Amino acid sequence: MKGIIFNLVEDAVVSGHGEDTWDDLVDAAGVEGSYTALGNYPDEDLTKLVGAGAAALDTPPEDLTRGLGREALLGLARRYPHFFTPHTDARSFVLTLNDVIHAEVRKLHADSNPPEFWFGDADAKQLQIHYRSQRRLCSLAEGMLVGAGEYYGEKVTVRHEGCMHEGRDHCTFAVDFQPAA
């Protein structure tokens, strides 16, 4: 997994709970904890960090991962605004994941393995999203969708209708996009 994901998780933990909490999670997880954005790190490091965080916060790992996904998306928007500014809403942004964002990631990092998304028919306020990744981080993807909505001032609701963790070959999300109240 690319170090940028770990950097975004660290930023989320530090901004929400402080530097000492990040250090405590790194220790509890038994991982190195010094991640560079361009480095490659074992996927298990993220699993260990989420496990340590879930235990420390007494929350289910999936809920913590969703929250980290939300924060990571907002962190990506701060770091890479050029991916976000061409869009006026979350739906149009999400539709560019494979063709723009992940294509750029693959150009810059030939050894990367970003998730694959494809989309089903829906209307302007709804979208069926299919997600496949060897990492099976569907909770992170859910959180990132919600974060995209927050970035664009929308309320995004995600229903997880099918999951790789239940034996399917990909996850299916039904996503509703609504203007914020």
Side-chain angles (χ1 to χ4, degrees):
M1 183 176 297
K2 283 299 185 194
I4 184 66
I5 298 297
F6 291 97
N7 296 154
L8 293 166
V9 168
E10 179 181 0
D11 290 350
V13 170
V14 169
S15 70
H17 303 283
E19 187 74 41
D20 289 343
T21 301
W22 173 252
D23 293 339
D24 292 345
L25 288 179
V26 167
D27 290 343
V31 296
E32 180 183 325
S34 178
Y35 301 102
T36 63
L38 299 178
N40 287 316
Y41 302 95
D43 295 348
E44 296 78 34
D45 278 15
L46 184 60
T47 303
K48 290 175 183 178
L49 286 164
V50 167
L57 297 171
D58 193 28
T59 189
E62 296 82 15
D63 291 349
L64 180 63
T65 306
R66 275 185 209 91
L68 290 171
R70 179 188 153 279
E71 291 295 326
L73 186 284
L74 296 171
L76 282 171
R78 286 187 297 273
R79 289 177 186 228
Y80 304 103
H82 59 280
F83 287 129
F84 293 81
T85 54
H87 307 283
T88 59
D89 59 57
R91 188 180 188 281
S92 67
F93 167 76
V94 167
L95 288 169
T96 67
L97 291 174
N98 289 327
D99 298 334
V100 177
I101 297 170
H102 291 161
E104 188 68 23
V105 168
R106 284 185 189 94
K107 272 195 275 183
L108 294 172
H109 312 286
D111 59 345
S112 68
N113 189 15
E116 176 186 5
F117 292 91
W118 66 99
F119 308 97
D121 291 336
D123 60 35
K125 294 185 181 199
Q126 198 173 55
L127 188 61
Q128 184 179 59
I129 300 175
H130 301 275
Y131 161 88
R132 182 180 1 239
S133 171
Q134 69 182 28
R135 296 181 182 98
R136 300 171 12 141
L137 290 171
C138 44
S139 295
L140 188 74
E142 282 184 65
M144 291 183 118
L145 291 166
V146 170
E150 187 173 323
Y151 177 81
Y152 289 102
E154 300 172 4
K155 182 179 191 299
V156 171
T157 305
V158 181
R159 291 181 314 283
H160 202 147
E161 297 183 332
C163 187
M164 292 180 286
H165 294 284
E166 297 168 349
R168 299 199 181 189
D169 73 331
H170 70 279
C171 293
T172 303
F173 306 121
V175 183
D176 295 316
F177 300 90
Q178 299 294 325

